[in-house]
Amino acid sequence: EAQVTQNPRYLITVTGKKLTVTCSQNMNHEYMSWYRQDPGLGLRQIYYSMNVEVTDKGDVPEGYKVSRKEKRNFPLILESPSPNQTSLYFCASSQVQGLRQYFGPGTRLTVL
Amino acid sequence: AQKITQTQPGMFVQEKEAVTLDCTYDTSDQSYGLFWYKQPSSGEMIFLIYQGSYDEQNATEGRYSLNFQKARKSANLVISASQLGDSAMYFCAMRVRTQGGSEKLVFGKGTKLTVNP
């Protein structure tokens, strides 16, 4: 089954404790992206990657890091999480210049 | 600026009736794509329908159709014969080029649809 998986689905952590949210897709997509969703703001792009070892900032990259060492994986790293990073995070993938992005199930992160 | 505007924070519709969710967009690109996604209370993002900027006919997918008016820069979603399961948040999104030559989705703030029995 074609899918994008994210782990963990839910995470409660404390300020400053480094964390990684994993994202993996099995569709051989070149393009992957991270979004955060906050009430009243819709989804905003954090980082994206056009292919292995090619990443770039989206609209709200501050406080986040990403890496793309393999085509299927695109982890999101929060080196020192803060409460304003409490949000719902989505990973998505698509063919480059494709017609649609496939979304993961979301990760609900709470930073205390 | 590349922007999606959804002016209806919330909409109500009676079961079995049709409903239109508004979406206007702003872009200077000639080539772009418009999407609608559904987000039920469970949180996942479900792709509904896509319209390319060069598509001459309005897209349709089952009970969903996209009323594309290019000159007015609008891409409204029409849901026919509403069902209780249609109650959800609906997001309009636009695929745009980035300065780096890639693509990204720009989302509107969403419309919460409630279908009443």
Side-chain angles (χ1 to χ4, degrees):
Chain A
E1 179 189 356
Q3 61 182 352
V4 179
T5 57
Q6 293 178 229
N7 283 291
R9 295 288 313 280
Y10 303 91
L11 179 60
I12 301 174
T13 189
V14 295
T15 299
K17 186 176 181 180
K18 181 180 178 179
L19 66 93
T20 299
V21 184
T22 64
C23 173
S24 183
Q25 50 93 5
N26 63 0
M27 295 168 280
N28 203 36
H29 285 165
E30 293 183 347
Y31 183 91
M32 297 185 75
S33 182
W34 277 102
Y35 297 89
R36 62 177 289 173
Q37 181 182 10
D38 301 291
L41 296 178
L43 278 79
R44 295 176 293 167
Q45 189 182 49
I46 303 170
Y47 268 95
Y48 64 93
S49 170
M50 291 183 66
N51 213 325
V52 175
E53 303 293 0
V54 181
T55 63
D56 206 349
K57 296 177 180 178
D59 298 319
V60 287
E62 295 77 20
Y64 304 96
K65 285 176 59 177
V66 293
S67 68
R68 188 92 182 272
K69 293 182 169 49
E70 303 168 285
K71 197 172 186 178
R72 64 183 293 127
N73 296 323
F74 190 45
L76 179 69
I77 303 158
L78 285 73
E79 294 268 2
S80 183
S82 62
N84 64 11
Q85 292 178 298
T86 292
S87 188
L88 178 59
Y89 291 86
F90 286 100
C91 180
S93 75
S94 68
Q95 294 289 348
V96 174
Q97 315 213 10
L99 296 180
R100 61 176 278 195
Q101 290 196 10
Y102 292 77
F103 282 82
T107 294
R108 191 168 292 280
L109 172 65
T110 301
V111 183
L112 302 175
Chain B
Q2 323 255 33
K3 187 179 179 181
I4 291 284
T5 302
Q6 294 180 254
T7 57
Q8 306 155 315
M11 287 283 287
F12 294 87
V13 66
Q14 287 298 123
E15 195 177 6
K16 299 180 184 177
E17 291 185 350
V19 62
T20 297
L21 306 184
D22 294 342
C23 172
T24 57
Y25 60 92
D26 185 16
T27 181
S28 55
D29 290 350
Q30 296 300 309
S31 177
Y32 51 89
L34 296 156
F35 300 79
W36 278 92
Y37 283 87
K38 172 184 178 181
Q39 186 179 41
S41 58
S42 53
E44 71 267 33
M45 295 290 287
I46 301 169
F47 166 78
L48 294 179
I49 197 166
Y50 168 81
Q51 179 87 39
S53 58
Y54 293 117
D55 295 339
E56 294 187 352
Q57 291 197 326
N58 287 341
T60 60
E61 291 283 349
R63 293 187 298 112
Y64 304 107
S65 61
L66 198 152
N67 184 1
F68 182 46
Q69 299 189 38
K70 197 170 183 176
R72 298 180 62 183
K73 293 192 173 180
S74 74
N76 298 338
L77 177 71
V78 180
I79 305 174
S80 63
S82 297
Q83 302 172 356
L84 296 178
D86 293 335
S87 294
M89 282 290 289
Y90 288 81
F91 291 98
C92 181
M94 177 171 61
R95 187 186 74 233
V96 300
R97 289 271 185 182
T98 68
Q99 288 188 335
S102 179
E103 295 184 342
K104 68 175 184 180
L105 285 182
V106 175
F107 283 83
K109 295 183 179 181
T111 295
K112 183 174 182 180
L113 176 66
T114 301
V115 180
N116 294 317

